[in-house]
Amino acid sequence: MAEQPEGLVSIKDFVRWGASRFNAHGLFFGHGTDNAVDEAAQLVLSALHLESDLPAAFHDCRLTSAEREAIAALIERRLVERVPAAYLTGSAWFAGLEFAVNAHVLVPRSPIAEVIENAFHPWIAPDGIERVLDLCTGSGCIGIAAAVYLPEADVDLVDVSPDALSVARENVERHGVAARVRVLESDLFDGLRGNRYDVIVSNPPYVSRAELESLPLEYHREPRLGLLGGEDGLDLVFRILAEADRFLTDDGILIVEVGSSAETLEQRLPEVPFTWLEFERGGDGVFILTREQLVASQPLVEAILGS
């Protein structure tokens, strides 16, 4: 049982106490929050079964002994286990939507959320999007959000991990989109022959081996399968570039997050006309290519794969 601190009685007290302990222990924040106060607030409110937008008037409410004990236990787990708060609460937010998460999937945090919230405009006309593919779907957050923001589109969620797909199915049911969203097990495009999509969007594993080993402990609580992209982080990215054109409609687009591997990708494919997106809420390393650009780039990609 976690030790309960004396003198703390309110929600506000426990948020302050938790944040102080997190900072004192040098925790890393990058899985839904970027500071100790927000991280502590997430855990405190979750322990109390309260929403994140709790009115400020309730912040001074006195807590029961059982509530204080539940909060202290969550704070202690965050300190000792160094797991992202989302795994402790079982949920994370993406594109304004709440998703179930566990240690079988990455914690949703992609800047692609902004693209989805804009229904992929101006890169493709939203009313012309009939089918979307979310490749390396994990929790399903990208594809399910696309289904919510594009209520007329059909979406396929694809991943190689059965455990991840179980989480994705739970989120499909949570958001009531089962009539338009399929959950498919496949190693990238291997199980998708004959399908064509207007938008293929992917947040694949793209972390290099050296970078992964240097990341804070919180990242090592996430599934390695969802992070490691080979020696230089680009193994799956090159496979996607090599095959995506065959699964896109004539006017279709490919959107891929490569994060910190963006510079390496440009160095290895300097002649490919990547369009790198800018985001109002921060984030980078996301490119767009049209099908036409992908077709023209095939000799360059194949040369790398064959080397």
Side-chain angles (χ1 to χ4, degrees), residues 15 26 36 42-43 125 136 164 206 248 252:
V15 171
Q42 181 180 349
L43 292 174
C136 306
Y206 58 71
L248 281 169

Side-chain angles (χ1 to χ4, degrees), residues 16 21 64 66 109 133 140 162-163 165 198 201 247 274 286 288:
R16 197 281 309 157
R21 294 198 72 195
T64 68
R109 53 186 178 272
L133 170 62
D163 290 329
L165 292 176
D198 302 295
V201 58
F247 296 87
F274 297 108
V286 178
I288 289 184

Side-chain angles (χ1 to χ4, degrees), residues 164-231:
L165 292 176
S166 178
V167 179
R169 290 188 186 94
E170 179 181 347
N171 284 317
V172 168
E173 294 300 324
R174 169 180 288 205
H175 291 283
V177 292
R180 294 185 293 114
V181 177
R182 297 191 302 173
V183 180
L184 305 171
E185 183 177 343
S186 176
D187 183 1
L188 296 184
F189 297 103
D190 287 354
L192 302 178
R193 305 302 175 189
N195 287 280
R196 295 290 184 275
Y197 303 92
D198 302 295
V199 177
I200 297 175
V201 58
S202 183
N203 181 12
Y206 58 71
V207 180
S208 70
R209 192 175 303 278
E211 181 185 4
L212 181 59
E213 296 308 318
S214 71
L215 290 175
L217 188 56
E218 281 82 356
Y219 286 99
H220 293 272
R221 301 309 188 205
E222 294 187 290
R224 194 176 181 89
L225 181 66
L227 291 171
L228 182 61
E231 288 301 319

Side-chain angles (χ1 to χ4, degrees), residues 188 205 229-240 268 305:
L188 296 184
E231 288 301 319
D232 67 357
L234 295 173
D235 286 1
L236 273 74
V237 175
F238 285 128
R239 287 179 57 194
I240 292 170
R268 297 192 67 182
L305 289 175

